[in-house]
Amino acid sequence: SAPSQRADRQHGPYFVVVAMASQLKNALQNNRAALYATGAAVGAAAASATTVTFMSESVLHPPSYPWRHRGWFASFDHGALRRGFQVYREVCATCHSLEFIRWRELAGVTHTKEEVAALAKECMVMDGPDKEGEMFERPAKPYDKMPSPYENDQQGAAANGGALPPDLSVMVGARHEGHDYVFALLTGYMDKPAGKEMMETLNYNPYFPGGGIAMPPPLQDDGVEYPDGTPATISQQARDVVQFLHWSSEPELEDRKKTAMLYMTSIFFMILGSGYHKRWKWSSVKTRKIAYVKS
């Protein structure tokens, strides 16, 4: 009957759900101001969370410069590589190393084999042990690594105020748009803008994250003397050393491009041959006509 159904509803789960919904509605209506305040607080917290400033945001992104060696069919300017090695050796090598480059890899790239052997002999490397078990120094040979300016990382950090100069072997490849970044970094030193808080021992460079970099401006006009007579401006030195550092990060780049061209040419003719074979093989099938005749 109807009275019994109403009694079941009053004592069943249906009544409980309806009662909870009614209480929630009354609470929202009576505490509307508190609800709005809570929403505003949550919104303010979310807005403040999205305005966190990271050090990586306080950096000027470098412009895109034209580099002739970046095309699919382009190669390095080996004159620039030779000049870039000179800049590295006379300027950068006082603090930075090229751990993954050996002297012999310069042969045919920046110097002849004879020149490489002569350059290597100018450096002394630790070798041994000898027959008496003692370590000794000897002139470097083409198979030796490029010398490091410091014997260990601790010595390098101590000589530079606690900041260890990074190895430059793969610097261009390790940075996003490394060519543009390194060039902009080398040529982007300027006076600190007003209001910029920075340690007194740091130098201002807008292309470095945070703006403060421990390395002082490494390049100066006529800081090196190019044997080929190229004017040694700051931008010219930066351009040359960037190309050399790109080669050091990818010494196999030109060989890889040559191999890729060989493979792509082979694949192209394979596709042509496969297409012709397919058309010839299936021509008799595709031109066949099937007719049904009533018996």
Side-chain angles (χ1 to χ4, degrees):
S1 61
S4 62
Q5 293 177 357
R6 286 195 297 271
D8 293 338
R9 289 184 178 180
Q10 290 177 357
H11 298 284
Y14 174 79
F15 175 75
V16 175
V17 173
V18 172
M20 291 178 63
S22 178
Q23 292 176 3
L24 179 61
K25 178 180 179 181
N26 294 333
L28 293 177
Q29 290 178 349
N30 296 334
N31 299 278
R32 183 173 300 175
L35 182 63
Y36 289 161
T38 303
V42 173
S48 63
T50 59
T51 56
V52 174
T53 301
F54 296 95
M55 181 176 290
S56 59
E57 297 178 358
S58 181
V59 61
L60 183 64
H61 294 282
S64 179
Y65 300 102
W67 301 97
R68 56 160 286 180
H69 61 274
R70 300 195 66 183
W72 287 9
F73 307 102
S75 62
F76 285 112
D77 179 357
H78 286 257
L81 294 184
R82 186 184 180 100
R83 295 192 299 269
F85 172 73
Q86 180 181 351
V87 175
Y88 165 77
R89 193 181 183 204
E90 297 183 12
V91 180
C92 308
T94 56
C95 298
H96 298 274
S97 60
L98 281 179
E99 181 181 358
F100 303 112
I101 298 298
R102 299 179 183 271
W103 287 103
R104 64 188 178 195
E105 296 180 65
L106 298 176
V109 178
T110 61
H111 299 77
T112 63
K113 291 183 179 181
E114 293 75 15
E115 290 174 330
V116 169
L119 289 172
K121 287 182 180 179
E122 298 178 8
C123 301
M124 301 299 292
V125 297
M126 187 65 66
D127 201 353
D130 56 14
K131 295 180 179 180
E132 287 75 24
E134 300 292 336
M135 302 298 291
F136 62 93
E137 286 189 340
R138 61 167 177 80
K141 297 182 179 180
Y143 57 75
D144 288 316
K145 291 183 178 180
M146 303 281 285
S148 175
Y150 307 108
E151 295 182 2
N152 50 62
D153 293 348
Q154 289 75 14
Q155 185 185 45
N160 293 274
L164 177 65
D167 181 81
L168 299 183
S169 301
V170 294
M171 180 59 66
V172 170
R175 297 293 187 271
H176 176 67
E177 296 297 333
H179 316 74
D180 300 331
Y181 169 75
V182 176
F183 182 87
L185 185 72
L186 292 175
T187 59
Y189 286 88
M190 60 182 65
D191 294 333
K192 180 179 66 174
K196 175 68 176 178
E197 296 182 359
M198 197 172 61
M199 295 176 60
E200 294 296 332
T201 57
L202 299 181
N203 302 275
Y204 181 71
N205 193 314
Y207 298 103
F208 190 78
I213 181 172
M215 180 178 68
L219 302 179
Q220 305 293 332
D221 286 330
D222 298 323
V224 299
E225 184 177 353
Y226 288 140
D228 60 0
T230 301
T233 61
I234 292 179
S235 58
Q236 182 66 50
Q237 295 175 62
R239 176 183 177 275
D240 293 337
V241 77
V242 165
Q243 293 185 74
F244 173 73
L245 292 179
H246 183 198
W247 170 84
S248 71
S249 65
E250 295 182 287
E252 78 293 344
L253 179 62
E254 292 185 341
D255 291 336
R256 193 168 68 237
K257 287 183 178 181
K258 294 177 182 178
T259 304
M261 285 301 303
L262 177 62
Y263 288 165
M264 295 302 294
T265 303
S266 302
I267 291 174
F268 173 75
F269 284 106
M270 287 176 61
I271 292 174
L272 287 181
S274 299
Y276 178 80
H277 178 74
K278 180 259 182 185
R279 291 178 61 88
W280 171 77
K281 192 71 175 179
W282 286 84
S283 61
S284 60
V285 177
K286 290 186 175 183
T287 56
R288 183 181 301 170
K289 181 178 179 180
I290 302 177
Y292 296 92
V293 180
K294 293 183 179 180
S295 57

